[in-house]
Amino acid sequence: MRAYSLDSWRDLPAAQQPEWPDPAELERVVKELAGLPPLVFAGECDQLKAKLAEVAQGKAFVLQGGDCAETFAGATADDVRNKLKTLLQMAIVLTYAASVPVVKIGRLAGQFAKPRSSSVETRDGVTLPAYRGDMVNGFEFTEASRVPDPVRLLRAYHSAAVTLNLIRAFTRGGYADLRQVHAWNQDFVGESPAGRRYDRLASEIDRALSFMQACGADMDEFHSVELYSSHEALILDYDRALTRIDSRSGLPYDVSAHFVWIGERTRQLDGAHVEFFRQIRNPIGVKLGPTTSPQDALALIDKLDPDREPGRLTFITRMGAGRIRDHLPGLVEKVTASGAKVAWICDPMHGNTFEAPSGHKTRRVDDVLDEVAGFFEVHRSLGTHPGGIHIEFTGDDVTECVGGGHEIAEDDLHQRYETACDPRLNRSQSLDLAFIVAEMYNQVH
Ligand code: PEP
Ligand code: CO
């Protein structure tokens, strides 16, 4: 058994950490967090790791998604149900149309902290600290709200607990039963081509289910789904306080989520985040942007997955539509040649952000689709497995990304622009994407 040291990261440079004004208050909060119950169990993390091992071996596909930044105000039954509904619809499209097991991971129940390119924000000549997510400070553009407040770490824990409780109830309590495939779409059909296309697929599923049940087949999988939680483990004091030693194995797990990832801005090889992640036994991810060299990727594997354990490490690439076809092949080739068994997931969002003339941060659905297409092309040409997608979406009909089925124009962005951080795909854009990804998947297999 490898020895662990859960605080070794404290000696290393940690990027993107808030400057808490009152260290004593932080210490008090962290102590309290450390005494609170786990949000997930080590056994569940292991179960997800086993599923991600199937992904790394080419036998399953990951659908990971949710808000860019969750908010405390968003931890309501309606908001969570709408996100879950969209995720379930996307997953069912992929499972049925691409005939592949789909591993479902929400960017939820903990996605409350954001890395920022600039530590300040200026509006109309006023400069204040940047918003770093509800876990750190307030979104409101006032001096008081932007001061980092450690009590927010506790509120993040409680919001995550409420969200997970809803998710567990929805996914186990009948809402996610396959007999509900039509119901998930009810408020949507007629309104959009994606909704109508989905309804036809749901009818096929209904017939298939009736047939199987008439034959006597009635599996647990028909009645509930496994949805795992994930977030970027950015604020190390939070994730460290929620790291516990599993009583069965004697090993440490970050029990704030099943899966945690390191962002593009905090993946320095000799930085605190990589060091912290080395110690925990959860399945983990690392975002890889367009400047990643094959040597960087190999060094990350050596540090984070020295035992080459399938399912342990997922690389989430976010190159941008214009760069993926040039940058991804070298990475995948060298990593594959090294014998490492990582899962490859495409984040087609973060390399494609730009500012519209109105000042809104946005993304073109066409760029998102093009990056996913590039991801599939690269894996097809190398004979490797396109293991999944990682997206920012919401269950509501927001106007944050341009293009898509309803053709949202740059001038429409203000109509319903609600994100606390990056622009998300709305429900019909998400469902369209699922159909397109299913088609791409079928071409590779
Ligand atoms: C994110 O996932 O919201 C994010 C900030 O991504 P990245 O680290 O890839 O920039
Ligand atoms: Co984002």
Side-chain angles (χ1 to χ4, degrees):
M1 198 188 296
R2 198 180 299 274
Y4 52 83
S5 56
L6 296 179
D7 291 300
S8 47
W9 60 271
R10 294 187 192 277
D11 301 330
L12 301 173
Q16 298 280 343
Q17 302 306 289
E19 286 174 26
W20 305 106
D22 182 355
E25 176 73 346
L26 175 68
E27 202 177 315
R28 186 192 70 74
V29 162
V30 160
K31 240 187 212 139
E32 187 173 339
L33 272 178
L36 290 169
L39 294 174
V40 304
F41 291 106
E44 296 175 322
C45 300
D46 288 345
Q47 202 184 67
L48 174 59
K49 202 191 281 177
K51 291 191 182 189
L52 290 170
E54 301 267 288
V55 175
Q57 287 155 0
K59 296 184 212 150
F61 192 80
V62 173
L63 173 61
Q64 182 174 27
D67 289 310
C68 178
E70 286 181 284
T71 59
F72 297 157
T76 66
D78 278 353
D79 270 33
V80 173
R81 191 192 48 235
N82 284 348
K83 277 183 264 183
L84 174 68
K85 190 158 67 177
T86 306
L87 194 80
L88 289 175
Q89 286 192 279
M90 292 183 79
I92 208 75
V93 166
L94 285 162
T95 311
Y96 190 77
S99 307
V100 62
V102 175
V103 183
K104 296 166 269 296
I105 309 177
R107 272 178 76 109
L108 46 76
Q111 179 54 21
F112 293 112
K114 299 311 301 171
R116 303 314 305 248
S117 318
S118 166
S119 58
V120 292
E121 181 184 350
T122 302
R123 286 191 206 172
D124 303 324
V126 181
T127 298
L128 293 177
Y131 170 65
R132 290 183 178 272
D134 273 13
M135 186 187 283
V136 176
N137 58 4
F139 184 67
E140 203 193 335
F141 193 71
T142 63
E143 207 165 332
S145 134
R146 291 292 169 93
V147 178
D149 178 1
V151 171
R152 287 178 169 273
L153 298 177
L154 282 168
R155 290 185 65 195
Y157 169 90
H158 290 291
S159 269
V162 165
T163 304
L164 258 186
N165 183 53
L166 284 165
I167 292 287
R168 291 193 197 269
F170 280 132
T171 55
R172 308 276 160 81
Y175 185 78
D177 193 298
L178 267 186
R179 285 285 173 195
Q180 302 293 321
V181 278
H182 276 291
W184 304 332
N185 202 42
Q186 236 156 34
D187 50 336
F188 199 41
V189 212
E191 268 178 44
S192 89
R196 285 194 292 275
R197 191 172 176 190
Y198 174 87
D199 220 47
R200 288 194 294 276
L201 180 135
S203 298
E204 285 180 40
I205 292 175
D206 262 351
R207 272 197 301 280
L209 264 185
S210 300
F211 169 72
M212 282 187 283
Q213 288 180 329
C215 296
D218 191 20
M219 305 190 291
D220 285 347
E221 285 79 359
F222 293 171
H223 301 293
S224 65
V225 303
E226 291 298 341
L227 172 60
Y228 298 96
S229 64
S230 74
H231 63 257
E232 176 176 351
L234 181 71
I235 309 299
L236 291 170
D237 281 309
Y238 178 81
D239 287 273
R240 165 64 185 95
L242 285 160
T243 296
R244 306 289 157 76
I245 306 303
D246 170 36
S247 55
R248 295 166 319 155
S249 61
L251 297 170
Y253 285 75
D254 180 348
V255 292
S256 70
H258 298 109
F259 179 96
V260 281
W261 76 87
I262 305 179
E264 165 72 358
R265 291 166 191 77
T266 49
R267 61 174 170 77
Q268 300 80 8
L269 276 175
D270 44 7
H273 290 82
V274 168
E275 179 59 24
F276 172 73
F277 273 69
R278 251 163 42 83
Q279 313 293 332
I280 57 172
R281 300 313 309 150
N282 304 55
I284 60 171
V286 185
K287 293 276 201 101
L288 301 181
T291 60
T292 316
S293 69
Q295 291 68 33
D296 295 337
L298 293 172
L300 283 165
I301 294 171
D302 280 342
K303 283 215 156 179
L304 296 169
D305 183 23
D307 301 329
R308 305 291 192 267
E309 179 191 4
R312 157 72 173 167
L313 183 58
T314 296
F315 278 146
I316 306 165
T317 62
R318 31 87 87 219
M319 302 286 163
R323 293 193 264 205
I324 184 161
R325 292 172 180 84
D326 294 332
H327 284 267
L328 188 59
L331 287 185
V332 176
E333 228 165 357
K334 295 273 179 359
V335 168
T336 308
S338 80
K341 284 271 180 295
V342 304
W344 293 97
I345 296 189
C346 173
D347 165 358
M349 316 295 293
H350 289 89
N352 296 309
T353 317
F354 68 97
E355 195 175 306
S358 59
H360 292 97
K361 225 196 220 189
T362 190
R363 292 160 175 156
R364 286 187 196 88
V365 173
D366 282 349
D367 292 340
V368 169
L369 295 176
D370 190 37
E371 178 152 1
V372 178
F375 174 76
F376 276 88
E377 284 163 29
V378 169
H379 283 287
R380 179 160 51 177
S381 74
L382 295 173
T384 47
H385 180 56
I389 54 169
H390 176 120
I391 56 165
E392 290 180 343
F393 79 92
T394 178
D396 302 316
D397 293 323
V398 298
T399 56
E400 298 173 5
C401 292
V402 295
H406 280 304
E407 270 305 330
I408 294 170
E410 289 185 9
D411 290 343
D412 299 331
L413 290 171
H414 67 277
Q415 288 176 8
R416 199 170 165 193
Y417 192 94
E418 297 175 358
T419 182
C421 194
D422 292 339
R424 303 159 297 176
L425 298 173
N426 64 24
R427 190 162 168 214
S428 78
Q429 290 168 337
S430 303
L431 207 47
D432 275 337
L433 173 66
F435 278 109
I436 292 168
V437 170
E439 280 163 14
M440 291 179 190
Y441 193 88
N442 283 329
Q443 283 167 14
V444 192
H445 287 82

